[in-house]
Amino acid sequence: MNAETLFISDLHLDPDKPEISQNFLRFIKIRAAQARGLYILGDLFEAWLGDDDGAEAFTELFAAIKHLSTTCRICFVQGNRDFLVGEQLLHKLGARLLQEITIIQLGHHRVALMHGDQLCTDDTQYQTFRAQVRSLDWQQQYLAKTLAERQAIAKQLRRQSRQAMREKSDHIMDVNAQTVADSFDRLGVDTIIHGHTHRPALHSIAPDRQRIVLGDWNPEASYLSWKDGQFSLIDPRV
Ligand code: MN
């Protein structure tokens, strides 16, 4: 029961924000070194436009993750900013790709893991966009472009997204309570762990239902630990 499982999301690794990469490197080398499992629930990257990106800024980090993978099982769920992470990068990291909603057993908990953007159903504009960019057609067309073309499109999409977010209330950007309740029912789980909203918290929804929200790295580490039958959320704001 001593082995620990760790959960992280929303690091938003960015070559322009080296502090986050440094903190993650420390986390990988020190904090995760004794763990049995590490789940990365999306938005590891601020943007990932395809596995042909050399990502030179992350060379040391990627090597450390690969090294960790020899002792720790590393799993990845795609987020809304890195849904183009594919087998090539995951092979480099020694990580395996999980379905966008994956159910695991932790002690007596049946746990659903997901990035969390699919719970934000009040934001219908975003959900329409999500359906589009998650389609195989869209992804094949996008990945057929040069990296420079993809960067230009991504920049444009981010500009539109920032503009749209300014017009949306905090409420619209959070999860929809009914969608959350439906997810517990449909998946038959007692725990949902997700990120995306950057609102780290442990929510007890009912005596036998909890929703755990992972925090973003800003630039301090934020993570969830499962050890000795208990969840602990470690975040500078919680
Ligand atoms: Mn996200």
Side-chain angles (χ1 to χ4, degrees):
M1 278 299 266
N2 282 326
E4 184 175 32
T5 303
L6 297 167
F7 301 85
I8 56 174
S9 71
D10 301 282
L11 284 81
H12 294 270
L13 293 174
D14 183 337
D16 294 334
K17 294 180 179 169
E19 326 78 60
I20 303 176
S21 294
Q22 284 306 316
N23 288 342
F24 188 37
L25 189 61
R26 207 171 302 129
F27 179 86
I28 289 293
K29 288 187 170 174
I30 298 166
R31 192 64 191 79
Q34 307 296 324
R36 172 170 54 188
L38 172 65
Y39 288 88
I40 304 171
L41 301 187
D43 288 3
L44 174 61
F45 300 100
E46 174 69 4
W48 189 259
L49 306 181
D51 287 356
D52 55 336
D53 187 337
E56 283 78 14
F58 305 133
T59 302
E60 189 186 3
L61 192 51
F62 288 179
I65 297 171
K66 181 77 174 187
H67 180 71
L68 177 67
S69 76
T70 59
T71 58
C72 174
R73 180 183 152 93
I74 305 175
C75 297
F76 181 81
V77 174
Q78 296 164 329
N80 55 300
R81 288 173 169 274
D82 52 15
F83 57 85
L84 290 174
V85 165
E87 290 300 340
Q88 199 181 326
L89 176 64
L90 292 168
H91 180 75
K92 200 191 268 188
L93 301 180
R96 48 175 286 179
L97 183 65
L98 301 183
Q99 296 291 313
E100 68 169 82
I101 297 176
T102 293
I103 296 174
I104 62 169
Q105 192 75 29
L106 286 176
H108 64 275
H109 293 290
R110 189 172 145 85
V111 182
L113 308 174
M114 63 187 80
H115 179 57
D117 54 329
Q118 51 283 77
L119 300 173
C120 299
T121 50
D122 289 328
D123 191 349
T124 52
Q125 191 186 15
Y126 169 70
Q127 293 300 331
T128 304
F129 171 76
R130 184 182 196 276
Q132 184 195 356
V133 299
R134 290 293 182 111
S135 76
L136 199 55
D137 271 2
W138 189 92
Q139 294 193 3
Q140 279 172 348
Q141 281 181 34
Y142 185 76
L143 289 171
K145 297 178 193 300
T146 67
L147 189 57
E149 287 170 328
R150 278 177 268 155
Q151 281 162 345
I153 295 170
K155 202 171 160 188
Q156 176 66 22
L157 288 173
R158 270 201 300 277
R159 194 178 306 132
Q160 287 169 8
S161 159
R162 268 198 303 274
Q163 177 66 34
M165 274 165 63
R166 272 198 288 272
E167 294 160 9
K168 286 171 193 167
S169 68
D170 268 14
H171 172 77
I172 284 180
M173 306 281 289
D174 202 355
V175 299
N176 173 284
Q178 189 59 51
T179 303
V180 169
D182 292 346
S183 300
F184 277 107
D185 289 343
R186 182 167 53 85
L187 302 170
V189 296
D190 59 82
T191 303
I192 293 178
I193 302 174
H194 71 83
H196 182 65
T197 60
H198 301 192
R199 299 172 198 222
L202 293 139
H203 298 281
S204 285
I205 295 175
D208 57 344
R209 281 187 176 182
Q210 59 181 335
R211 179 171 68 91
I212 305 176
V213 188
L214 306 176
D216 53 310
W217 289 43
N218 191 24
E220 295 84 11
S222 175
Y223 60 95
L224 177 73
S225 157
W226 165 262
K227 194 168 189 250
D228 299 329
Q230 286 207 354
F231 287 111
S232 317
L233 189 59
I234 290 85
D235 183 284
R237 293 150 294 183
V238 173

